[in-house]
Amino acid sequence: MTAKGVSERGKKVLLDFPALAALREHDRKGIDEILGIVEGCAEYKREVALPRALQLDQRMEREPDYFDWETMREACRYNIFSLAIPKVLGGLAEKYMITGMALAVEELSSACGGIGLALAAHSLGVAPVIASGAMAHWDTVLHEIVEEEKKGNPVVMAYGITEPSAGTDVEEPEFLEVGKIGMEAKKVKGGYLLNGRKCFISGGSEAKYFTVTAATDRSRPLQTWTTFLVERDMEGFSTPRVELKMGQRACHAAELLFEDVFVPDSHVLGYEGDGMANGILIIMAASRGPVGAIATGIARGAFEHFLAWTREKRNGKRPIDEDRIRMTLADMLGSIQENRGLFLNHSFGGDAVFRGAFTHPIFLSTFLIPRTIRTSKPYSAFLNSYYGKALVNALFRYFIKDEDVTDMLAKASLAKFTCADNAMALTSRALEVMGADDSPQRPWVEKAYRDAKLTQIYEGTNQLNRLVVYNTEIAQSLQVEIPGPFKKGVR
Amino acid sequence: MIRLPEFHEDQEYRILRETAAAFAQKELSQQAEQLDLEPTRGRVREVIAKAGDIGMLAALIPEECGGGGLDEYAFCVALEEIAVEEAGVAASLLAHNTALLPSAMGEPEALITGVSPDDYPACLAFPGDVSFSGGRVQGRVPFAFNVQECSFITLIPAGSGGTQALTVRGDTRGVETTPEAYQMGLRAARAGSVRLDGAEPSNIISGGDMAGAVERVMLLGLASIANGISRSALHKAYAYASERYQAGKMIVEHQQMRIFLAEMLAAVEQGRTLVKRACEDGGIAPAVVAWLRCTESACKSAIDGVQIHGGYGYMRDYGMERLMRDAKYCQMYPTTSQEALLRLLEASEEGWQP
Ligand SMILES: Cc1cc2nc3c(=O)[nH]c(=O)nc-3n(C[C@H](O)[C@H](O)[C@H](O)COP(=O)(O)OP(=O)(O)OC[C@H]3O[C@@H](n4cnc5c(N)ncnc54)[C@H](O)[C@@H]3O)c2cc1C
């Protein structure tokens, strides 16, 4: 399959992902757009990420508070902060939002898992604003991200669900029900008072906006789980500490501290009480595949450096001339391609689920209304009202079906744990085969080994993801039911 | 608390185990994080000096020559105990003692005139590509522990069939040591590479199978350190799992967590058995098998130990991620698993001609 008008990197993507090449025959424009995204990321990898990844990682072990804003600013040139933002708002997401995201983060993470995470975690923070259909904030927050990006200023978002006493518990409805939740959002006049802590929040110390979940009644966390939009300069909000991580250091994991933070009603994303199904589950259904792609990128980076090592001469001999090394390389490529198959399977399915809503004329026509009106007080008050939310919800529900979201969640979770396990195995094996050689490639592979471990932990541990696959796909005991004005509950 | 299966050992080893464990508990447990993050010469030397008090600075040298007089197994027992608290210190002691080993195998005078057992750190530059002719050493060793600011380097040159060893003072002309740019694990054993360009040895030692002896001790020592890491992972992870509530129970009650923990327990049990058997029976093959299995298990124990801790395991504060980095370094030196396997078969095959 040869593709005309496609760069070298794009051609390689089509070779690595024949399904994309096949799809391109039907939708050249759509696929070329995602190839363009990957090409941008490949250039970023070459020009920005690779030259600093190793040093940055080593520096941040000693100076954990340091953050390299330059890598973020450079990312603006490739519109990486707009990957998840709909095209109508000036972003890059359209028909192939999840596929584009997955391929982009594979590319970025193949240079550096930490830089890959820093950029991917931002999109994770953006996702709830989009998936909840909180259109009142699209023209403000998302618009700001897009506009500032054009000027080279990264406006970062982060997604905060994990609490010190609840990690696995916030990832699954059954566990949330029995979880010991620390954070609370107490209803007060005109809004909510947030108190408590979130921990391990990627990009939390850099983000300007946060999507955060909290129970409005801690004794009934599942029924009252709610997603809020929080702004850094809200009073009582702070990010007091960052963690000392083993890997993926270029991205901070921060603690978020809420001390009587007043969040207005308008900043509830979706409805009070829909934070599990319409929040976490739908986000995980979209994002766990791309997290699998992060793992795949880390594995691919390790493979690239390992391959370079096999071609180096040692005492006149090259490892690659030995059979055992050739077979090891083939194994590695096999696991990378297995990963790609899984995350692409998820992202194609996911795009099919979301695409309907985001490309439909009704949806698009709302953006024909001039921006001045869209950002006016009455208009956003309408969108934030019960009826406004109901309208958007009805539109989304028409296209995005519960059973499809459930199926996506299954595929995403499957891709996530398999890719992560494969990445851990590949990086472990690469070091085992190299040994303590003094090759300049070894520190890269060691870094990949440290980076890979995290992919087995975040976005739900691999154990939790296995349970989700069982519950959704095999037992069918977990069915995502997105509550709305017409229906409540997750089961 | 989790109790390991009863492991039968003679009285002298049991006593040594307790002594070494007490040392590690007292001198290393509080400092483990610092020894990993900032293993400065001063900090490492200070704890190593205290290891000298329990005979670990010249452990394998006969008592009549002023050494600790430990046999191989006793040495392994002590390393395992030390590694439970800080594997890097154990690795440094291992490298140091292995570097002294040829001196102990040669004439006793060699020790007295050549090296003093207090000369920490001694470096065993092995394996590498080293030749010795006309009184000069030439060659390159890509990786060795204790390279940085070492007092002397022990080398096994090619060509003598492994029956000759050389020591070269670290500050001799023609010796160039390069510290690891970024050492991932076992950091207290400050590693690096060595280049030799016409250096003159301070000592030439001839004796039995030096190369074999040195490699055996190195393999068994690393296997024992790996066992210490698996133990550490087991105890830390079990303690954490007993305190952490998630998904409706303490996580120690989740079956998958129990299976991870039991795997660690099995790793320790199997690992100790392999080391003991290898020490009893001699020869290279059992040592290779012990090293292969113990280091592989330690890597798995450490990775699973981090997993049991969830996000916390990934952070420095809990001491689990260090085990993952240390365990991997036990597996990457002095050979690689594939090369070790090929040699194992070769050593066990009759009439194999390479
Ligand atoms: C570097 C980093 C970045 C992160 N970024 C973010 C972020 O941006 N936003 C965010 O919200 N969160 C983030 N997280 C949090 C992450 O999602 C959680 O760490 C993860 O969900 C696990 O939770 P935990 O750490 O509390 O582990 P726990 O839930 O305490 O789990 C501990 C162990 O118990 C096991 N376990 C739990 N329940 C079961 C069960 N039922 N059966 C079997 N085993 C079980 C787990 O698999 C795990 O091995 C991040 C974490 C890290 C480390």
Side-chain angles (χ1 to χ4, degrees), chain A residues 3 34 80 85 100 102 119 147 177 254 258 277 280 322 327 329 349 359 438 440 452 472 487:
Chain A
I34 38 180
I80 294 171
I85 298 179
L119 297 167
E147 289 307 307
E177 200 146 26
F258 297 82
I280 290 168
E322 293 189 54
M327 293 200 185
L329 284 167
T359 54
D438 61 352
T472 47
K487 137 174 127 185

Side-chain angles (χ1 to χ4, degrees), chain A residues 117 121 124 159-164 166-169 171 175 199-202 245 253 454 457-464 467, chain B residues 240 244-247 251 254-257 260 307-312 314-315:
Chain A
L117 174 63
L124 189 66
Y159 189 34
I161 64 171
T162 306
E163 305 190 0
T168 299
D169 283 353
E171 304 260 353
F175 299 155
C199 66
F200 305 146
I201 307 309
S202 298
K245 299 159 75 180
L454 182 51
I457 299 172
Y458 60 22
E459 291 266 314
T461 64
N462 276 11
Q463 288 69 47
L464 179 273
L467 281 175
Chain B
Y240 181 80
R244 175 80 171 168
Y245 170 93
Q246 211 66 201
I251 60 174
H254 289 306
Q255 274 186 341
Q256 183 54 56
M257 299 295 106
F260 281 158
Q307 192 68 17
I308 292 173
H309 281 70
Y312 295 95
Y314 200 68
M315 310 309 173

